[in-house]
Amino acid sequence: MNGGRSEGASGGTTAHAGALDGVRVLDLATLFAGPMAATLLGDFGAEVIKVEHPGRPDPSRGHGPAKDGVGLWWKVLGRNKRAITLDLSRPGGRATLLRLAATADVVIENFRPGTLEKWDLGWAELSAANPRLVLARVTAFGQFGPYAHRPGFGTLAEAMSGFAALTGEPDAPPVLPPFGLADSVAGLTTAYAVLTALAARERTGTGQVVDMAIIEPILSVLGPHPTWYDQLGYVQERTGNRSANNAPRNTYRTADGTWVAVSTSAQSVAERVIRLVGRPELIEEPWFATGAERAAHAEVLDAAVGSWIAGRTRTEVLAAFEKAEAAVAPVQDVRDVFEDPQYQALNTVTTVPDPELGPLRLQNVLFRLSATPGAIRWAGRPHGADTDAVLTELGLAPSDIAALRAEGAL
């Protein structure tokens, strides 16, 4: 298995069983948050069966660039998943899903509230088929409340949560991220919620429903903003790359036209940076003693740091900061990530063989475990590639599978 993430290993083949071996997950969700949760579980050994509509595959197959007609985003999001087709609105599709659910530990779905119930596949039916099942329901706004039935995507969560209001320059419009931030945060959180529910099942013997609203996890990662407002009436404004809590903290242009990022969350690091750039007298200023006061004098500190960095190449800046034990990082694009020696050491971008595209590079699993490391066993599979195999394992005869196809359920 390529891409193993064992402690101290650089990747490659591993004979370890995954931490989630024996866990079966049915991924009924589309696009990003729900499918990402299933991907994370599959990375550590869960058997994930991706269930897609026969005529309407997961739209992520067509998102972003493609090579030879093969969507590359799907290769990442669909990794470690077996791909089958099933029309849940048809009687044969419904009956087949209930048979699959009886063998599963987890179902992940992201239909609008009430959709599974319309097909007689709601929690009542699924839990009757398998009382130990965990059903994770991932929607923009949750299963109840005034917005529950609205269509929604992560972009709306980024706007509603306060994230966009905080992002951007003070005199410019709010900024939305150019990638699925809220969906990714919700995917991570859903995987955590599923594992929590499975742990509870070990004590109780029964499953339960996970209600994941995409608008909530991103609000949580914003930190203490609700508490600040509750206790002080404080609303943080946009500050661009600066921080309201410390300075210097910004991106700075080097002499060779590249950029570096500097952070000084610790007082000792702030002092090292200012000594490094040749302005030790600033440390003696009364306002330098706290992060908030330094932030109030960010113009002075940015001028000192920025002018020093502007006179040196990126290589020179990074070497000097490392020698001074001050915190700095290059602002990298994906080309730089591929060449970065730390990412290379961690095997963060790994290579897996793919029958459609050949050797394929993609992000590795999220973390390393010393005894039961995760692994990318294969990249995203073609639409419906494993339908016959999965249904045969379920006990369906070839004639049963043919009948489902004739009905339009596959």
Side-chain angles (χ1 to χ4, degrees):
M1 294 185 292
N2 284 350
R5 300 296 294 267
S6 59
E7 182 77 2
S10 60
T13 301
T14 172
H16 294 290
L20 299 179
D21 275 5
V23 174
R24 173 174 268 198
V25 179
L26 304 183
D27 175 9
L28 314 185
T30 57
L31 291 176
F32 304 117
M36 180 179 178
T39 300
L40 299 175
L41 299 173
D43 283 350
F44 284 89
E47 179 196 5
V48 180
I49 299 174
K50 176 71 177 181
V51 180
E52 298 173 86
H53 189 278
R56 297 189 299 276
D58 189 322
S60 66
R61 290 183 179 271
H63 266 56
K67 180 181 179 182
D68 299 332
V70 178
L72 298 178
W73 203 328
W74 168 252
K75 286 295 178 183
V76 177
L77 192 63
R79 69 193 193 198
N80 293 334
K81 299 180 183 182
R82 305 173 77 190
I84 73 169
T85 61
L86 209 57
D87 185 343
L88 305 183
S89 69
R90 296 182 182 272
R94 175 188 181 276
T96 304
L97 183 73
L98 287 175
R99 288 185 65 167
L100 280 168
T103 71
D105 298 281
V106 181
V107 171
I108 300 175
E109 63 99 0
N110 71 336
F111 299 105
R112 286 199 217 179
T115 301
L116 282 184
E117 285 73 11
K118 179 179 67 176
W119 297 330
D120 293 326
L121 286 171
W123 177 238
E125 292 81 9
L126 290 171
S127 61
N130 182 356
R132 291 175 55 81
L133 190 70
V134 171
L135 173 62
R137 316 195 77 165
V138 186
T139 58
F141 305 109
Q143 295 294 308
F144 57 91
Y147 303 165
H149 290 276
R150 292 182 183 178
F153 299 97
T155 298
L156 306 189
E158 290 147 11
M160 288 179 59
S161 63
F163 172 85
L166 290 170
T167 307
E169 297 297 328
D171 55 352
V175 174
L176 294 167
F179 62 95
L181 175 63
D183 279 311
S184 298
V185 174
L188 287 161
T189 310
T190 301
Y192 162 54
V194 165
L195 294 176
T196 302
L198 289 175
R201 190 184 70 177
E202 294 303 304
R203 297 196 314 273
T204 66
T206 58
Q208 59 184 297
V209 176
V210 172
D211 179 4
M212 178 60 60
I214 295 173
I215 61 172
E216 291 186 302
I218 191 169
L219 177 60
S220 292
V221 301
L222 289 178
H225 291 272
T227 306
W228 283 344
Y229 179 71
D230 172 64
Q231 295 295 304
L232 303 172
Y234 173 68
V235 179
Q236 183 173 327
E237 303 293 337
R238 289 191 293 283
T239 58
N241 288 328
R242 288 176 175 170
S243 168
N245 302 309
N246 64 79
R249 192 262 200 184
N250 213 326
T251 57
Y252 305 93
R253 192 177 181 92
T254 65
D256 51 352
T258 62
W259 294 83
V260 297
V262 173
S263 177
T264 57
S265 296
Q267 180 71 22
S268 59
V269 174
E271 293 176 6
R272 290 175 201 153
V273 169
I274 296 305
R275 288 194 183 97
L276 172 63
V277 303
R279 296 294 304 278
E281 75 279 3
L282 294 176
I283 299 172
E284 304 306 319
E285 295 286 349
W287 49 262
F288 198 89
T290 69
E293 283 297 309
R294 293 200 311 274
H297 293 79
E299 293 285 351
V300 174
L301 295 171
D302 275 346
V305 175
S307 62
W308 186 90
I309 288 175
R312 292 158 176 82
T313 66
R314 184 171 77 173
T315 299
E316 292 169 337
V317 170
L318 297 178
F321 267 72
E322 182 174 0
K323 184 177 180 180
E325 298 184 354
V328 69
V331 176
Q332 302 189 147
D333 64 19
V334 67
R335 293 167 296 187
D336 301 312
V337 169
F338 270 51
E339 301 301 322
D340 186 283
Q342 184 62 32
Y343 280 132
Q344 290 178 348
L346 295 174
N347 194 34
T348 305
V349 178
T350 193
T351 303
V352 298
D354 182 74
E356 292 183 287
L357 299 176
L360 182 70
R361 298 181 75 180
L362 68 167
Q363 302 98 315
N364 211 330
V365 301
L366 278 177
F367 49 85
R368 286 159 292 281
L369 296 178
S370 61
T372 55
I376 301 174
R377 301 181 297 282
W378 61 82
R381 303 264 291 149
H383 182 227
D386 303 295
T387 301
D388 285 25
V390 169
L391 297 188
T392 298
E393 293 165 9
L394 192 62
L396 275 68
S399 58
D400 299 324
I401 297 173
L404 288 170
R405 282 208 167 87
E407 180 193 344
L410 300 183

